[in-house]
């Protein structure tokens, strides 16, 4: 979405197969929109502490908290990103088993407990056939609740800045636009 409004986006995963799907989707969307989308892909494992965190203005992660280990690793990477200059971190989660460990690690790493909370957002599944590993066999749309957590550097304890409500209720593209002088998602 950010790339469709002119942002540069980097998609990462620890496996090549999801990145190949993103590359195909980017090519298809570029053709459909009639413009090149600035999306690149890269192998990156959040659990590999030796791997260098790519710089970004906005970091988004979704559907990562399957295990406590990935939850803790993601929390450490979120704090690392905020301390390195990332302006906004957005995490989406459907209440996976690693959510508790993620929230505990955020607080242990210095995130204010009032900011380390998900806001439930109602939505719908796509209603299209999916791989059985991803979703049930039925392709009928159904209601879902997704937890969204937004963090800013001000949410780190001792940051000296206000919490600004823990980031709850902000639209990531609008926030990116505001932070970059009105160009939605530029440099994302």
């Amino acid at each position: 979405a950010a790339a469709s409004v002119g942002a540069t986006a980097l998609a990462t995963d620890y496996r090549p197969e999801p990145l190949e799907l993103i590359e195909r989707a980017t090519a298809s969307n570029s053709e459909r929109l009639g413009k090149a989308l600035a999306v690149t892909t890269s192998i990156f494992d959040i659990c590999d502490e030796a791997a260098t965190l790519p710089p970004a203005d906005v970091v988004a992660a979704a559907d990562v908290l399957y295990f406590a280990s990935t939850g803790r690793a993601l929390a450490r990477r979120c704090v690392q990103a905020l301390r390195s200059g990332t302006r906004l971190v957005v995490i989406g989660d459907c209440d996976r088993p690693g959510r508790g460990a993620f929230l505990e690690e955020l607080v242990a790493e210095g995130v204010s407990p009032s900011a380390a909370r998900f806001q439930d957002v109602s939505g719908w599944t796509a209603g299209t056939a999916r791989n059985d590993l991803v979703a049930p066999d039925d392709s009928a749309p159904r209601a879902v609740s997704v937890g969204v957590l937004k963090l800013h550097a001000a949410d780190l304890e001792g940051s000296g800045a206000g919490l600004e409500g823990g980031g709850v209720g902000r639209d990531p593209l609008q926030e990116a636009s505001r932070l970059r002088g009105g160009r939605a998602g530029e440099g994302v």
Side-chain angles (χ1 to χ4, degrees), residues 3-188:
S4 70
V5 294
T8 299
L10 170 64
T12 65
D13 199 285
Y14 72 102
R15 296 175 306 127
E17 296 85 4
L19 299 177
E20 291 167 9
L21 292 174
I22 289 171
E23 290 166 356
R24 289 187 1 215
T26 299
S28 175
N29 287 329
S30 291
E31 183 178 320
R32 187 174 55 80
L33 294 170
K35 64 180 180 179
L37 300 177
V39 177
T40 57
T41 61
S42 180
I43 296 288
F44 179 73
D45 184 351
I46 61 170
C47 294
D48 179 359
E49 305 249 347
T52 302
L53 184 67
D57 289 331
V58 177
V59 171
D63 212 21
V64 177
L65 303 176
Y66 286 95
F67 305 104
S69 59
T70 54
R72 286 188 293 274
L74 179 60
R76 290 189 295 272
R77 292 303 193 150
C78 289
V79 171
Q80 179 185 10
L82 291 169
R83 289 190 174 137
S84 298
T86 294
R87 297 175 186 247
L88 175 66
V89 172
V90 181
I91 308 297
D93 176 58
C94 293
D95 204 18
R96 301 285 187 210
R99 183 188 277 198
F102 169 72
L103 294 172
E104 289 171 8
E105 189 71 15
L106 278 178
V107 172
E109 290 288 321
V111 172
S112 167
S114 64
R117 55 187 165 83
F118 283 89
Q119 176 185 1
D120 288 330
V121 177
S122 297
W124 292 87
T125 61
T128 58
R130 311 266 321 254
N131 185 297
D132 288 342
L133 293 173
V134 176
D137 194 15
D138 67 341
S139 60
R142 58 185 169 85
V144 294
S145 179
V146 177
V148 176
L149 184 140
K150 301 176 189 177
L151 296 171
H152 299 82
D155 295 322
L156 296 172
E157 292 187 333
S159 68
L163 288 179
E164 302 179 53
V168 173
R170 291 197 193 131
D171 177 82
L173 287 178
Q174 288 177 348
E175 180 68 3
S177 175
R178 182 185 72 77
L179 293 169
R180 301 295 286 165
R183 295 179 299 248
E186 179 182 291
V188 175

